[in-house]
Amino acid sequence: MSQAFEYQTDVLVIGTGPMGATTALALATHGLRVHVVNRFNWTANSPRAHITNQRAMEVLRDLGVEEEARHIATPWEWMGDTLFTTSLAGPEIARLRTWGTGDERKGDYMQGSPCPLMDLTQEKMEPVLVKNAAERGAVFSFNTEYLSHEQDADGVTVRLRDEKSGREYTVRARYLVGADGARSKVMDDLGLKLEGQLARAATAYVIFRADLARYAAHRPSILYWIVTSDTAFGEIGMGLLRCIEPWKKWIAGWGYDMSRGEPDFSPEEVKRKVRLLVGDPDLEIDIQAASTWYVNQAHAPVYSKGRVFCGGDAVHRHPPSSGLGSNTCMQDAFNLAWKLAFVVKGYAGPRLLDSYSLERAPVGAQIVARANQSRLDYGPLNRCFRDEGAADPVAAGLEKLADPGPEGVARRDALAKALDLKNYEFNAQGLELNQRCVSDAVIPDPDAGEEVFARDPQLYLQPTTRPGAKLPHVWLVGEDGRRISTLDVVGKGRYSLVTGIAGHAWADAAQAMDLPYLRTVVIGRPGALDLYSRWHAVREIDEAGALLVRPDGVVAWRHARAAADAGEARHKLRQALAMLLDHPSQAEPT
């Protein structure tokens, strides 16, 4: 049987959430045949995830949809302060500058990436990804349920059902991607296991419309924490007002005791709760939806088996604290997609795909731990706000917090420390950008030693060209005199050989090899001028040295010094590419 007949698609993706839709967009952009199924009628029908951090923004930038997404998002500057207040209309207790918008952190964020953060809900993000994927050739089948799969040495046969007609049929693909969320059937069928605990706590969410501009527009934020005895339950112990569309669409959230059953979502009780959180007893409210979600603390140590790969919420399940959910899903996709493309196109051998799980599973474990720890880190704040022995613990606690005597001084000192601790949730640029890939798809420096971080690696980005790290961002100057990022001259589905003007041996060798997946970037020449001398400051190699940068922007290999001549450079590049791609013949000239 010919391969053209055997495979109906190169990759079949189950799910159109952030992981599935990003995988589809990346694969279609790379020129692969990709078929995506979703058992629902369309994409997400509720706000769900919303924070888009800088690394996820860089993914959107590489895939050419950053500006389209930003156009419909809440901008970075409006993400602003996070407030702790007795109600939206009532007296404030504290504020924290968050998401890198504060004076002391904004420079770090601007230096670390060409992309500011944005706030874009999942129900708006997914259609952007799906639309662009479809425009680039991806095929989508909604109202289609995944039933099962069987894989063999050559491909995967997937059984599907059309929900409208009930017809069952099979699709033959080279590879299958399970991006079917926190109840992943693909993962169950594959026999992959989770470590940790599911549904250890619960939260009620109510989506409503109300014009709250008079309370919020002068202090823009996406999160307003409400400190009141009526919502003092669970790990966070505060109510939440989350802005969805400034300043007219909101989520109200509060914890509830699962042992007592579902929360009371009657219109009367919901309106009472929302008015209490807002602090306006006469507020006009349009309730749109009410639901519950559960706090999970679980991750999979292995993401793939054979020709089937899982990602996103299927393999890392955690609360939304720290805003890591959809961001990590999109980065799973970005890591996997180029590797699938290289193997399908014959640029790499199949062992390259083993690196996906090795590189992403540690990240999944890390973000699950961080998101759950961020919930626990509200404890010190709650102790500043409460006096648990009083009839009204919050009122009594806030009275002591304002006391001019020694107890008030001690509480205010504790409050400052508790707010500082929350930087690990709200200003954790290092956690988001310091990820290091460790696998055979990276060749470590033999003499570099263990990396030492100059500052807290969760809070602060440490830019480096060490293999395994993301290529540092600095501004260059392009052909038309406009600024472009170092991230703009690499990526786009290809490996990049990056060197300087003095590295002509590397440039000559790479160009002579004439590999379809390898571009040459000479920083200092027109199109990539280092007029600010910032690349000179961060490159960590000689100007005549060289970097190999993967399609996902990760440094795969570096040679700190000049090559003696083009012959030596070509030999070293061949060796490096053969190791990185599990395909020695592909390192030879075509």
Side-chain angles (χ1 to χ4, degrees), residues 432-451:
E432 297 162 2
L433 299 183
N434 279 334
Q435 297 173 10
R436 302 291 187 256
C437 294
V438 179
S439 74
D440 287 343
V442 172
I443 301 173
D445 277 355
D447 303 319
E450 184 177 354
E451 184 174 10

Side-chain angles (χ1 to χ4, degrees), residues 18-20 22-23 26 55-56 59 177-179 303 309-318 324-340 355-357 359-365 367 435 550 552:
M19 199 276 177
T22 305
T23 301
R55 185 55 183 148
V59 170
V177 175
Y303 284 12
F309 304 85
C310 293
D313 288 351
V315 291
H316 36 77
R317 306 179 192 180
H318 55 90
L324 298 168
S326 63
N327 295 287
T328 306
C329 297
M330 293 164 69
Q331 292 165 56
D332 287 347
F334 199 53
N335 183 289
L336 176 61
W338 76 265
K339 296 172 181 177
L340 286 169
S355 66
Y356 165 66
S357 184
E359 293 178 357
R360 295 305 298 170
V363 175
I367 63 104
Q435 297 173 10
R550 302 185 335 186
D552 57 0

Side-chain angles (χ1 to χ4, degrees), residues 166 541 561 563:
I541 60 174
R561 295 169 299 279

Side-chain angles (χ1 to χ4, degrees), residues 361-383:
V363 175
Q366 180 186 36
I367 63 104
V368 166
R370 179 64 256 171
N372 280 274
Q373 184 60 46
S374 290
R375 290 177 61 86
L376 298 177
D377 287 347
Y378 284 93
L381 276 171
N382 280 316
R383 289 191 286 273

Side-chain angles (χ1 to χ4, degrees), residues 107 121 217 238 269 294 327 360 376 394 397 423 427 433 462 483 511 515 584:
T121 58
M238 306 176 204
E269 177 61 14
Y294 300 101
N327 295 287
R360 295 305 298 170
L376 298 177
V394 169
N423 282 310
N427 290 301
L433 299 183
Q462 180 157 297
R483 293 193 313 174
Q511 290 169 354
L515 296 171

Side-chain angles (χ1 to χ4, degrees), residues 289-493:
S291 61
T292 60
W293 59 266
Y294 300 101
V295 177
N296 297 318
Q297 187 167 356
H299 69 278
V302 177
Y303 284 12
S304 65
K305 185 181 293 185
R307 291 176 170 265
V308 184
F309 304 85
C310 293
D313 288 351
V315 291
H316 36 77
R317 306 179 192 180
H318 55 90
S321 303
S322 296
L324 298 168
S326 63
N327 295 287
T328 306
C329 297
M330 293 164 69
Q331 292 165 56
D332 287 347
F334 199 53
N335 183 289
L336 176 61
W338 76 265
K339 296 172 181 177
L340 286 169
F342 267 51
V343 173
V344 169
K345 291 179 179 181
Y347 300 160
R351 286 184 54 202
L352 174 64
L353 297 173
D354 296 342
S355 66
Y356 165 66
S357 184
L358 291 171
E359 293 178 357
R360 295 305 298 170
V363 175
Q366 180 186 36
I367 63 104
V368 166
R370 179 64 256 171
N372 280 274
Q373 184 60 46
S374 290
R375 290 177 61 86
L376 298 177
D377 287 347
Y378 284 93
L381 276 171
N382 280 316
R383 289 191 286 273
C384 298
F385 301 156
R386 290 188 174 80
D387 185 350
E388 295 298 346
D392 187 334
V394 169
L398 295 180
E399 183 177 350
K400 289 184 177 179
L401 183 64
D403 187 89
E407 182 168 358
V409 171
R411 285 206 178 214
R412 290 188 289 277
D413 181 63
L415 175 59
K417 292 182 174 64
L419 287 170
D420 190 56
L421 180 64
K422 293 309 296 174
N423 282 310
Y424 287 90
E425 177 176 2
F426 294 120
N427 290 301
Q429 188 192 30
L431 178 73
E432 297 162 2
L433 299 183
N434 279 334
Q435 297 173 10
R436 302 291 187 256
C437 294
V438 179
S439 74
D440 287 343
V442 172
I443 301 173
D445 277 355
D447 303 319
E450 184 177 354
E451 184 174 10
V452 177
F453 285 85
R455 297 189 291 177
D456 189 316
Q458 290 194 64
L459 295 180
Y460 299 100
L461 167 64
Q462 180 157 297
T464 178
T465 62
R466 290 174 67 104
K470 179 180 74 72
L471 184 73
H473 153 71
V474 298
W475 289 115
L476 305 171
V477 176
E479 294 278 6
D480 59 358
R482 298 177 188 271
R483 293 193 313 174
I484 58 172
S485 171
T486 43
L487 303 185
D488 296 329
V489 298
V490 300
K492 310 296 190 297

